[in-house]
Amino acid sequence: MEREPTMSEPTKTKYDRQLRIWGEVGQAALENASICLLNCGPTGSEALKNLVLGGIGSVTVVDGSKVEIGDLGNNFMVDKKSVGESKAKTVCAFLQELNDAVRANFVQENPDSLILTDPSFFSQFTLVVATQLVEDSMVKLDRICRGAKVMLVFARSYGLTGLVRISVKEHTIIDSKPDHFLDDLRLNNPWPELKRFVETIDLKTPDPIAHKHIPYVVILVKMADEWAKTHSSNLPSTREEKREFKDLVKSKMVSMDEDNYKEAVEATFKVFAPRGISKEIQEIIDDRYAEVGSNSSAFWVMVAALKEFISNEGDGEAPLEGSMPDMTSSTEHYINLQKIYHTKAEDDCLSMEQRVKDILAKVGRDPSSISKQTIKSFCKNARKLKVCRYRTIEDEFSNPSAAELQKCLASEDYSSAIGFYILLRAVDRFAATYKNFPGQFDGGDREEDASRLRAIAVSLINEMGCDGYELPEELCNEMCRFGAAELHVVAAFVGGIASQEVIKLITKQFVPMLGTFVFNGIDHNSQSLTL
């Protein structure tokens, strides 16, 4: 039976502040996760540091190099005493000191070699964080992780630029935690029990105290009904009608100090919202994966149940969330409203639970294999579901969107981001040809490297279907000036972004970034490219 992850009381105390963000379920998911880090230079070490402090279950660091004098200037997780020692072992020991509850292991092997010789190694992990990999290794690792159903996050810093890219076939989110979302009050589509309660309250009551304490939910449901009776059962839709509706609400005020009516006027937009489900939720329930089978995930089984619910007892609506915002009201009215909303939400959840059981039985699975708590969470967030799908790295590299590329290359806002994206691929081709990155050695000819890099970049742009475009000369010069260095300040930022996305993926909360995140430390900005 699929159950919600649980956590111990000491863990609750230890991670109290972050529990306020992603809750016990999210923290327990982190605690049960296993992370593999490839390359523990500054970028990888900073990413893993954040995850270890956050309470990830276990980490495995893979790096075949040894600590060098140069590492002391950009990696705070190595020191002078560790020069000549295994970098993976040193970083692993440091991370263990930060949080002794995390199980830390290391493998002293070159990640590129491990990808080639032991692809099955990666199947044991929840997620792989791959840092500083070149293009060829990225493509191979992506293929391995997708085959093993292991989530993958790429991160790379290169001088004053860097990128982060998620790669997973599909990522489904129940609790997407949107910044702004309309309260689920159904003011424009009240159910019978709410209607009956509203009818018991008289807006014309002569008692001024009672009039001041009528909840705005009641006021707006009554006003919407009054409006619909004189407008062919339609609610306000045009700007003029919306203004008239607000004036209608204001006209019911008997004094200027009635906060409940002021709240009602401010909340009139909740009446204007379209009935039913959003276009995004419609696309999810119409998705081909909503036609479930014996191997379907719990998410898609619940989506299938949601589709049936909306078409039947939901009458075009998703299950009610059941929560009530604060508002000016008498205690009696507010408690009664809370009960009505809570009861409706419970009834909807029970209907969904039965539909989930019926679907599971139909496809030959245990009807109790999806827990009540999971279904309850799904119902509460049914209007906020998200499905993220990512192209393979190989597909993006070999067949990028020419239209998107041309738009970015021609855009002043995106030209630097797309320029660095192309150059980060070009430097890998440069290294494959010349056995070192452009500008990597002090004795090299930087101008010659810049010329070679520019030629490779032009060839790459042509391959991508954007003939005739050239990158700014200063960008090529900057890439050579970087010399493939990992600057700690950039590595910390890029690693921080990567760890943030890892937490989103593991907790299945918040919406992870789509496309490739490119950081430009020269202009202090960043862009997301969807190619």
Side-chain angles (χ1 to χ4, degrees):
M1 179 175 177
E2 181 176 310
R3 298 185 182 275
E4 295 291 305
T6 56
M7 58 190 299
S8 62
E9 285 300 323
T11 304
K12 291 180 185 179
T13 303
K14 184 174 185 176
Y15 301 116
D16 177 66
R17 284 188 296 176
Q18 61 204 51
L19 285 173
R20 301 167 198 268
I21 301 173
W22 48 71
E24 290 184 24
V25 171
Q27 186 61 41
L30 289 174
E31 196 176 34
N32 293 330
S34 174
I35 302 292
C36 175
L37 172 70
L38 301 185
N39 290 315
C40 58
T43 309
S45 296
E46 288 292 334
L48 204 54
K49 175 202 72 178
N50 298 330
L51 296 172
V52 167
L53 289 172
I56 209 75
S58 68
V59 297
T60 299
V61 180
V62 180
D63 194 314
S65 63
K66 296 186 182 297
V67 179
E68 300 176 357
I69 292 293
D71 295 321
L72 306 183
N74 65 0
N75 192 338
F76 293 153
M77 294 173 212
V78 298
D79 56 25
K80 195 172 183 180
K81 292 183 294 184
S82 60
V83 172
E85 298 291 326
S86 163
K87 190 185 291 185
K89 181 180 180 180
T90 303
V91 169
C92 199
F94 180 89
L95 293 171
Q96 189 79 72
E97 288 180 16
L98 292 178
N99 189 344
D100 58 9
V102 176
R103 299 181 301 278
N105 308 293
F106 70 92
V107 175
Q108 192 174 348
E109 187 171 345
N110 183 290
D112 296 313
S113 301
L114 191 63
I115 291 168
L116 284 173
T117 60
D118 191 9
S120 62
F121 170 81
F122 300 98
S123 62
Q124 64 186 294
F125 302 105
T126 308
L127 185 147
V128 175
V129 180
T131 67
Q132 306 305 103
L133 291 188
V134 296
E135 183 174 316
D136 184 53
S137 292
M138 288 175 68
V139 170
K140 289 173 182 172
L141 181 62
D142 185 36
R143 200 179 295 137
I144 292 166
C145 288
R146 285 186 180 240
K149 296 182 179 179
V150 173
M151 295 180 285
L152 176 60
V153 176
F154 292 105
R156 185 177 190 180
S157 63
Y158 194 104
L160 290 174
T161 187
L163 62 78
V164 175
R165 165 70 148 82
I166 294 168
S167 187
V168 58
K169 184 178 180 181
E170 178 184 272
H171 181 65
T172 55
I173 311 153
I174 294 174
D175 190 2
S176 61
K177 299 188 186 297
D179 291 333
H180 304 287
F181 212 79
L182 199 63
D183 295 319
D184 191 14
L185 298 176
R186 309 283 168 92
L187 305 181
N188 55 6
N189 192 16
W191 61 98
E193 290 79 10
L194 179 58
K195 284 182 180 179
R196 285 196 290 271
F197 173 74
V198 167
E199 288 167 1
T200 65
I201 300 174
D202 183 9
L203 295 188
K204 297 179 181 178
T205 177
D207 183 347
I209 301 299
H211 198 265
K212 286 181 180 180
H213 289 85
I214 300 172
Y216 79 73
V217 167
V218 173
I219 296 169
L220 290 177
V221 170
K222 279 186 172 288
M223 291 297 94
D225 184 57
E226 183 177 325
W227 176 279
K229 286 176 181 177
T230 58
H231 291 81
S232 304
S233 299
N234 296 317
L235 292 175
S237 57
T238 66
R239 181 179 296 180
E240 182 62 26
E241 286 178 340
K242 292 175 182 178
R243 186 188 61 77
E244 288 178 16
F245 184 80
K246 283 188 176 183
D247 291 340
L248 177 64
V249 176
K250 289 177 184 177
S251 72
K252 304 298 179 180
M253 296 177 71
V254 296
S255 66
M256 295 303 296
D257 64 343
E258 294 186 313
D259 290 338
N260 57 333
Y261 275 88
K262 292 177 183 177
E263 290 172 359
V265 171
E266 292 175 357
T268 50
F269 69 93
K270 297 177 183 179
V271 175
F272 310 148
R275 292 171 176 168
I277 60 176
S278 67
K279 181 182 177 183
E280 190 169 15
I281 298 302
Q282 186 66 53
E283 289 175 353
I284 290 174
I285 65 175
D286 289 340
D287 194 285
R288 63 188 179 92
Y289 284 96
E291 300 294 326
V292 298
S294 58
N295 294 322
S296 296
S297 68
F299 177 87
W300 287 112
V301 170
M302 290 187 288
V303 167
L306 175 63
K307 186 174 185 177
E308 291 182 1
F309 177 92
I310 292 169
S311 300
N312 294 282
E313 56 266 59
D315 193 25
E317 299 276 6
L320 186 75
E321 288 182 26
S323 57
M324 285 268 295
D326 290 336
M327 62 187 73
T328 302
S329 170
S330 67
T331 302
E332 181 184 359
H333 286 339
Y334 191 79
I335 290 174
N336 285 334
L337 272 176
Q338 275 189 322
K339 288 179 180 177
I340 290 168
Y341 275 87
H342 179 73
T343 301
K344 168 66 172 168
E346 285 288 311
D347 290 344
D348 286 355
C349 188
L350 286 172
S351 297
M352 276 287 292
E353 186 181 339
Q354 187 58 52
R355 290 193 174 278
V356 168
K357 287 182 177 180
D358 291 344
I359 290 170
L360 287 169
K362 185 178 178 181
V363 298
R365 288 165 60 179
D366 179 2
S368 301
S369 59
I370 300 177
S371 70
K372 289 183 179 181
Q373 189 59 38
T374 300
I375 297 170
K376 186 175 181 179
S377 176
F378 185 91
C379 290
K380 185 176 180 181
N381 295 285
R383 299 184 305 137
K384 307 166 189 174
L385 307 176
K386 296 285 183 183
V387 176
C388 301
R389 294 186 174 114
Y390 299 84
R391 296 181 73 185
T392 65
I393 296 295
E394 184 174 21
D395 191 29
E396 179 181 314
F397 285 174
S398 62
N399 187 32
S401 169
E404 191 68 22
L405 269 171
Q406 289 169 0
K407 185 179 80 173
C408 292
L409 286 165
S411 167
E412 186 175 333
D413 293 334
Y414 283 85
S415 59
S416 293
I418 193 65
F420 279 129
Y421 172 86
I422 291 168
L423 285 169
L424 282 168
R425 292 188 59 192
V427 295
D428 288 344
R429 295 192 177 190
F430 185 105
T433 303
Y434 300 106
K435 309 307 176 188
N436 61 268
F437 288 99
Q440 190 169 17
F441 300 110
D442 293 337
D445 188 333
R446 190 178 294 172
E447 287 187 10
E448 183 180 2
D449 281 359
S451 177
R452 289 172 173 173
L453 180 62
R454 202 174 302 116
I456 292 172
V458 169
S459 174
L460 182 56
I461 291 172
N462 291 341
E463 283 180 28
M464 297 167 85
C466 296
D467 299 14
Y469 284 95
E470 287 194 20
L471 297 179
E473 187 175 330
E474 58 268 25
L475 285 187
C476 295
N477 292 337
E478 281 297 312
M479 292 299 282
C480 292
R481 189 171 71 87
F482 297 159
E486 284 184 82
L487 306 180
H488 180 263
V489 65
V490 177
F493 180 79
V494 172
I497 295 292
S499 58
Q500 169 185 281
E501 298 308 303
V502 168
I503 289 171
K504 291 179 185 178
L505 290 168
I506 291 174
T507 62
K508 291 197 170 185
Q509 296 179 27
F510 301 95
V511 182
M513 63 174 67
L514 296 172
T516 302
F517 171 88
V518 179
F519 173 65
N520 177 355
I522 298 172
D523 296 332
H524 305 288
N525 64 36
S526 55
Q527 302 283 2
S528 184
L529 308 176
T530 307
L531 303 174

